[in-house]
C-alpha cells in the first residue's frame, strides 16, 4: 500500500509526496509562487511540453523546455471526447513523443481533459498540472482521475492517470472570481469530516496542503476506488442531483454544501449521529457562506430519482456516504421515503 509524506519545505510552502506503488510517485507542491517550480518537476528526458489551458486562465508558465500552448474552450460543454481527439491531433501535428510531457494549467476542466489526453496519447505520457483554482488544488488535479462527459452523464469516460507533479500555486487563488472560489469551498467544507478538523483556523496555503494530504492518504490506500476513495464523494449524492436538476444553476461547491447538510440530516434520521453533529455541519457550511437548503422549485421526487442514478449505486439501492459512530461510511439501500422526508427538512 502506498505512503504519503508531508513536509513544510519553506515558510508557507508544503510538499506532499504520494507513493502509489509500482515505482510511481506523485509530488504536490503548495504555496505562493510554486508555479515557477515547473522546470524542476517536468521529466528530465522531455524535450517538449504541450501546455493545455484556457484563454480565461491567464496564468503563464515556463517549463524550461520547448513549449507550445493548446487552448480549450471555456465551459463544461467543451468537456467531451471530441475535444480530447482534437487535442491529440494537435499533439501529433507538432510531433509530441512519449518522452515529452503535457502540462495542464487551469481548473478541474483543464486538468481532467489534459490528464485524459496524456493518458491516451501514445498510450500515455507524463503529465504535470499547474492547478489554478481552489477546486482543482484540493480535489480535481490530485489523485489521477481524468475524463470527459458523455451526453448521458458527467465524467462517464476516463482513465486513472497519475500526474507526475501538481503545483498548487496559492497566489493564483487571490484573483479567482467569486463564483469560482465558491465552487471550491464546498469541497473544502467536505474535508472537515475526512479528518481535517478545524480547517478554518489555518492560513490558506496550509489549508490547501492539509486537504491535499488527506486526499493523498485516501488515494494512496485505494487509488481505483474499490472502497475508501468513495468517501471523497461525501455530500456529492444530493450535490450531483442538484447540479443536474438545477441545470448547473448551482455551482458544484454550492450543491455539495447543501449535500453535506442533507447527509448529516439523513445520518441523524437513521440514528447514526446526534443533533450536535448536524449542527456542526450547518456551522461549517454556513461559515463558508454556502447554502444549506435546496433551492426552491426543484421537485423532490425527481431529486430522489436522480440520486438513484449516482455512480456509487452498485445494486440499485439509494447509496450515500454518511457520518456515524465510526466516521464516514458508504451506506447502501437507504429507504427512499426517508430520503424524500429528509429532503423536506433541508428545503
Ligand atoms: N473527487 C473524488 C476523487 O478524486 O476520488
Amino acid at each position: 500500500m502506498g505512503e504519503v509524506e508531508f513536509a513544510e519545505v519553506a515558510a508557507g510552502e508544503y510538499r506532499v509526496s504520494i507513493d502509489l506503488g509500482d515505482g510511481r510517485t506523485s509530488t504536490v507542491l503548495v504555496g505562493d509562487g510554486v508555479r515557477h517550480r515547473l522546470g524542476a518537476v517536468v521529466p528530465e528526458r522531455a524535450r517538449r511540453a504541450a501546455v493545455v489551458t484556457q484563454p480565461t486562465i491567464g496564468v503563464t508558465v515556463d517549463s524550461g523546455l520547448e513549449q507550445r500552448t493548446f487552448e480549450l474552450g471555456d465551459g463544461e460543454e467543451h468537456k467531451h471526447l471530441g475535444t480530447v481527439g482534437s487535442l491529440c491531433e494537435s499533439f501529433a501535428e507538432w510531433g509530441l513523443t512519449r518522452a515529452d510531457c503535457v502540462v495542464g494549467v487551469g481548473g478541474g476542466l483543464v486538468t481532467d481533459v489534459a490528464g485524459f489526453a496524456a493518458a491516451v496519447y501514445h498510450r500515455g505520457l507524463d503529465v504535470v498540472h499547474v492547478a489554478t483554482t481552489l477546486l482543482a488544488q484540493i480535489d480535481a488535479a490530485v489523485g489521477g482521475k481524468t475524463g470527459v462527459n458523455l451526453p448521458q452523464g458527467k465524467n462517464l469516460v476516463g482513465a486513472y492517470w497519475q500526474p507526475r507533479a501538481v503545483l498548487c500555486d496559492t497566489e493564483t487563488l487571490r484573483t479567482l472570481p467569486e463564483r469560482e472560489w465558491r465552487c471550491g469551498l464546498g469541497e473544502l467544507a467536505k474535508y472537515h469530516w475526512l479528518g481535517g478538523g478545524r480547517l478554518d483556523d489555518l492560513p490558506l496555503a496550509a489549508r490547501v496542503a492539509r486537504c491535499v494530504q488527506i486526499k493523498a492518504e485516501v488515494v494512496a490506500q485505494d487509488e481505483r476506488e474499490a472502497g475508501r476513495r468513495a468517501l471523497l464523494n461525501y455530500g456529492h449524492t444530493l450535490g450531483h442531483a442538484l447540479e443536474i436538476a438545477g441545470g448547473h444553476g448551482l455551482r458544484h461547491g454550492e450543491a455539495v454544501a447543501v449535500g453535506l447538510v442533507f447527509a448529516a440530516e439523513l445520518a441523524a434520521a437513521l440514528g447514526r449521529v446526534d443533533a450536535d453533529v448536524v449542527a456542526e455541519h450547518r456551522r461549517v457550511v454556513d461559515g463558508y457562506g454556502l447554502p444549506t437548503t435546496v433551492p426552491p422549485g426543484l421537485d423532490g421526487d425527481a431529486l430522489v430519482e436522480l440520486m438513484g442514478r449516482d455512480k456509487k449505486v452498485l445494486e440499485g439501492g439509494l447509496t450515500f456516504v454518511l457520518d456515524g459512530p465510526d466516521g464516514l461510511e458508504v451506506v447502501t439501500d437507504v429507504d427512499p421515503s426517508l430520503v424524500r422526508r429528509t429532503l423536506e427538512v433541508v428545503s
Side-chain angles (χ1 to χ4, degrees):
M1 209 176 276
E3 283 183 8
V4 174
E5 275 176 29
F6 181 89
E8 184 167 7
V9 287
E13 193 177 314
Y14 303 86
R15 185 180 59 223
V16 183
S17 308
I18 317 167
D19 172 359
L20 293 147
D22 307 325
R24 294 170 307 139
T25 56
S26 191
T27 302
V28 186
L29 298 181
V30 183
D32 277 2
V34 295
R35 67 186 181 281
H36 302 299
R37 304 284 162 82
L38 181 59
V41 296
V42 290
E44 266 174 37
R45 61 182 183 166
R47 286 180 309 119
R48 290 178 167 183
V51 176
V52 180
T53 189
Q54 289 167 310
T56 46
I57 300 296
V59 173
T60 51
V61 293
D62 180 4
S63 63
L65 305 172
E66 184 190 346
Q67 70 180 46
R68 191 176 282 193
T69 300
F70 302 86
E71 285 185 343
L72 308 178
D74 281 315
E76 191 73 13
E77 68 274 20
H78 295 281
K79 195 179 168 184
H80 59 78
L81 281 167
T83 302
V84 177
S86 308
L87 199 52
C88 290
E89 284 179 29
S90 305
F91 292 169
E93 271 167 28
W94 188 37
L96 201 70
T97 73
R98 238 180 129 170
D100 296 323
C101 69
V102 171
V103 178
V105 181
L109 188 149
V110 169
T111 61
D112 276 10
V113 172
F116 188 36
V120 293
Y121 181 76
H122 285 207
R123 299 200 182 85
L125 73 168
D126 283 321
V127 62
V128 171
H129 295 310
V130 179
T132 64
T133 66
L134 182 61
L135 181 77
Q137 294 190 0
I138 63 174
D139 190 29
V142 177
K145 278 190 184 173
T146 72
V148 293
N149 303 332
L150 291 180
Q152 290 76 10
K154 274 170 72 90
N155 299 329
L156 292 188
V157 181
Y160 288 97
W161 192 246
Q162 292 294 339
R164 191 183 170 100
V166 182
L167 304 178
C168 300
D169 191 333
T170 38
E171 220 167 66
T172 64
L173 302 183
R174 299 193 207 286
T175 51
L176 206 61
E178 171 68 15
R179 289 218 83 190
E180 207 54 66
W181 176 250
R182 287 169 70 77
C183 209
L185 283 183
E187 297 291 347
L188 193 54
K190 168 189 90 175
Y191 283 101
H192 285 248
W193 294 280
L194 282 157
R198 293 296 297 247
L199 286 167
D200 23 9
D201 294 339
L202 297 174
L204 183 59
R207 217 189 303 189
V208 169
R210 178 75 184 117
C211 293
V212 169
Q213 181 190 17
I214 294 169
K215 177 157 188 182
E217 276 162 4
V218 173
V219 171
Q221 287 170 23
D222 178 26
E223 186 182 1
R224 304 236 161 184
E225 199 161 312
R228 201 172 151 66
R229 186 163 181 164
L231 304 184
L232 295 173
N233 293 324
Y234 191 37
H236 284 57
T237 312
L238 177 60
H240 282 154
L242 289 175
E243 281 185 89
I244 298 166
H248 298 274
L250 277 184
R251 294 309 298 259
H252 179 70
E254 295 167 333
V256 169
V258 180
L260 290 169
V261 174
F262 169 76
E265 292 284 6
L266 188 58
L270 286 165
R272 297 174 54 88
V273 298
D274 60 23
D276 287 351
V277 173
V278 179
E280 176 68 0
H281 279 71
R282 290 185 178 277
R283 184 195 69 75
V284 170
V285 169
D286 205 42
Y288 284 115
L290 292 167
T292 55
T293 53
V294 173
L298 295 182
D299 176 48
D301 292 332
L303 289 174
V304 176
E305 157 93 26
L306 285 169
M307 287 191 269
R309 289 197 229 144
D310 192 85
K311 275 215 259 10
K312 278 192 304 301
V313 175
L314 299 176
E315 282 158 20
L318 279 166
T319 303
F320 295 87
V321 177
L322 296 178
D323 206 354
D326 300 320
L328 299 187
E329 281 172 335
V330 175
V331 179
T332 55
D333 279 322
V334 181
D335 176 5
S337 60
L338 184 67
V339 173
R340 185 70 185 79
R341 284 201 301 280
T342 308
L343 272 176
E344 298 301 323
V345 178
V346 294
S347 292

